[in-house]
Amino acid sequence: SRLKPLLQDHWHASFDEAGLGYFSDEGTFVRMRKMKHLVQAVLRWRHQRVAWRSAFGGKATAVDEAVEPALELAVADRQNDLVLRLVPPAPAASAP
């Protein structure tokens, strides 16, 4: 519930929230009606980018560095809402 006002402060003047959507892998337009749908889509695209980069290899770009931190949506403890949180990287296994 606090994400939308934060984003609105930084939206481009000609940004149209009512027209927010994307084209699916099948080529159909998917309209996003709620902020949580946008966040879920961004997290899905991040996962796809990380998987693609892992399979492709090569030098990481600025985009790869920007999406490197893992994020997840979780149910908030105090409200009927979701929280976006950073998932700390797993500790490296130590050699015996």
Side-chain angles (χ1 to χ4, degrees):
S1 62
R2 291 181 277 168
L3 178 60
K4 188 172 182 177
L6 290 172
L7 289 176
Q8 286 173 329
D9 288 344
H10 300 283
W11 279 347
H12 189 275
S14 62
F15 178 73
D16 179 17
E17 178 185 2
L20 191 59
Y22 63 94
F23 286 98
S24 71
D25 292 338
E26 294 80 29
T28 57
F29 187 74
V30 178
R31 185 170 311 281
M32 289 184 258
R33 301 192 191 287
K34 296 182 178 182
M35 189 59 57
K36 75 175 186 177
H37 298 147
L38 172 62
V39 173
Q40 289 169 335
V42 169
L43 292 177
R44 185 173 58 253
W45 297 329
R46 179 218 167 264
H47 177 75
Q48 291 171 345
R49 174 67 186 206
V50 169
W52 174 80
R53 173 52 70 190
S54 177
F56 177 72
K59 184 178 178 186
T61 66
V63 170
D64 298 308
E65 291 174 14
V67 300
E68 183 178 3
L71 300 170
E72 69 181 5
L73 276 177
V75 176
D77 292 335
R78 298 183 183 180
Q79 299 173 339
N80 183 20
D81 208 350
L82 298 172
V83 292
L84 182 63
R85 62 184 179 192
L86 178 69
V87 178
S94 59

